[in-house]
Amino acid sequence: MMQRALCVLLAITSLAHAAEARRAADGYQPPQFDPQQGYTQFLIPHAAKPPTTDGQIEPGEWDQAVELNAMADQTRQWKELYPRWVKWRLAWDADNLYLCSESQRLPGEDLVCRYRDQSLGGDTVLDDSIEVHFSPVGRNALGRKLPWAAQAILNPLGVGFYSKFTWAVAAKTTAWVPEWTIGSKIHEKSWVIELKIPRTSLDVQEPNRPGDAWSLLLARNWKRTGWQQSALPAALHSFQNPREHPFAYLTDGPFARLEDVSGLVEGRVHTVIHLGTCGSKAEKANVRFTLDGPRKYEKSADLD
């Protein structure tokens, strides 16, 4: 399964919604969606009730969140699906982003958590860990300060490595430890880590609102059978370049959840997609599904 087909499939999450007012600041525009380049775009819905960051997914807790679970394989130059599943869930309110990563744990698998000291820094990437890169697309350029992107690598103990990268001048600093709320728990069949990320920790002064753009790279570092990495499909020539990362837009309207792509891993064209809305009123949405391969398949429908 080529990355091209995978990325077209993920485009459903950006197309299944009513028209959005999309804003970008400081000349920082997301790339035009091009399946052959591997960019992913999706919507993050507004959370009426914030989830609890305790590493435990309760029934209904993340129902009003986007869900993505198709990951590209670093060992295959990002051109194939990684065989193990990771479910990413994201939501927002005026003051926070909420993120949940739930990743597969094989029977009897012990997750690697050697690094228990914050001072060990980037060595946490050698543990089982998640790696996330956030950029509020220019909205954290305060006064004469240049816009910057955040990086965090977190293992199952919640030990993290954090850095800030100012891409305009290729400057990086690790003298930054954000006040995030982190809940992590290893379950029988999965590892769950949940984050509450205040916008102020990223120097975003204005409240979050629909249409705000975010550059988000979401990756899982695996230790079983040697170090491996999977990430949401993107160009990924450099993890430090937020212009090459997936783009997301905040919404208070319809959104899509890409819940099951297991058929693609097994060589079948099969997926499960759920549509939702942030409010109680009925919403109209247009869904377009495109699969680009030896034979191109396209389907479009208007839904109430």
Side-chain angles (χ1 to χ4, degrees):
M1 176 56 61
M2 296 300 291
Q3 183 186 10
R4 183 166 109 173
L6 168 63
C7 295
V8 175
L9 183 62
L10 285 175
I12 297 168
T13 54
S14 68
L15 294 170
H17 62 88
E20 285 287 323
R22 296 182 173 179
R23 299 186 304 273
D26 208 37
Y28 183 81
Q29 296 286 345
Q32 292 297 310
F33 179 75
D34 181 353
Q36 297 188 48
Q37 295 299 320
Y39 292 109
T40 301
Q41 297 188 34
F42 56 95
L43 294 175
I44 301 177
H46 181 266
K49 180 181 179 181
T52 303
T53 49
D54 57 3
Q56 183 77 36
I57 300 175
E58 300 295 343
E61 183 179 23
W62 288 92
D63 281 358
Q64 283 193 313
V66 66
E67 181 175 312
L68 303 167
N69 67 356
M71 305 289 284
D73 188 345
Q74 183 263 348
T75 65
R76 300 290 186 268
Q77 291 75 50
W78 308 113
K79 293 182 179 180
E80 298 182 17
L81 283 171
Y82 192 76
R84 295 180 63 177
W85 59 262
V86 183
K87 295 181 180 180
W88 297 94
R89 301 174 176 94
L90 295 104
W92 67 279
D93 60 24
D95 296 316
N96 304 284
L97 286 181
Y98 302 96
L99 182 146
C100 173
S101 172
E102 180 186 12
S103 55
Q104 183 180 20
R105 183 185 179 203
L106 300 177
E109 180 181 15
D110 292 325
L111 299 187
V112 176
C113 307
R114 292 177 298 175
Y115 295 97
R116 300 166 182 260
D117 185 341
Q118 189 83 34
S119 66
L120 293 171
D123 287 347
T124 51
V125 76
L126 301 176
D127 279 348
D128 277 288
S129 56
I130 63 167
E131 182 169 352
V132 297
H133 295 247
F134 290 90
S135 171
V137 190
R139 292 189 306 281
N140 58 356
L142 304 177
R144 300 184 65 181
K145 182 185 291 187
L146 294 169
W148 56 275
Q151 175 193 26
I153 304 173
L154 299 161
N155 71 11
L157 298 176
V159 174
F161 165 75
Y162 304 94
S163 71
K164 295 169 61 174
F165 182 70
T166 306
W167 61 86
V169 291
K172 184 175 182 178
T173 177
T174 58
W176 173 71
V177 179
E179 294 184 359
W180 296 355
T181 304
I182 302 171
S184 178
K185 188 173 182 179
I186 298 174
H187 302 266
E188 180 182 0
K189 297 182 179 180
S190 67
W191 166 39
V192 175
I193 183 167
E194 297 175 307
L195 308 180
K196 177 183 176 181
I197 303 167
R199 58 176 171 79
T200 53
S201 70
L202 303 172
D203 285 347
V204 177
Q205 299 303 300
E206 296 294 326
N208 296 324
R209 53 186 176 177
D212 283 349
W214 287 82
S215 167
L216 298 169
L217 174 63
L218 307 175
R220 170 69 159 90
N221 302 315
W222 307 83
K223 286 297 293 183
R224 188 177 176 88
T225 66
W227 188 86
Q228 301 173 32
Q229 188 176 64
S230 62
L232 282 184
L236 298 181
H237 299 117
S238 168
F239 269 34
Q240 299 292 348
N241 185 354
R243 289 181 174 83
E244 295 185 352
H245 297 171
F247 273 77
Y249 300 90
L250 306 187
T251 182
D252 59 359
F255 63 94
R257 297 164 57 94
L258 184 61
E259 296 194 5
D260 181 10
V261 294
S262 58
L264 296 179
V265 177
E266 299 162 4
R268 298 178 289 111
V269 179
H270 171 79
T271 187
V272 176
I273 305 161
H274 290 267
L275 297 182
T277 183
C278 298
S280 58
K281 68 177 182 178
E283 300 273 5
K284 293 184 179 294
N286 174 265
V287 182
R288 189 175 75 202
F289 176 88
T290 304
L291 185 64
D292 197 354
R295 295 181 61 188
K296 186 171 183 177
Y297 174 83
E298 190 165 22
K299 181 74 173 180
S300 180
D302 292 321
L303 302 177
D304 292 325

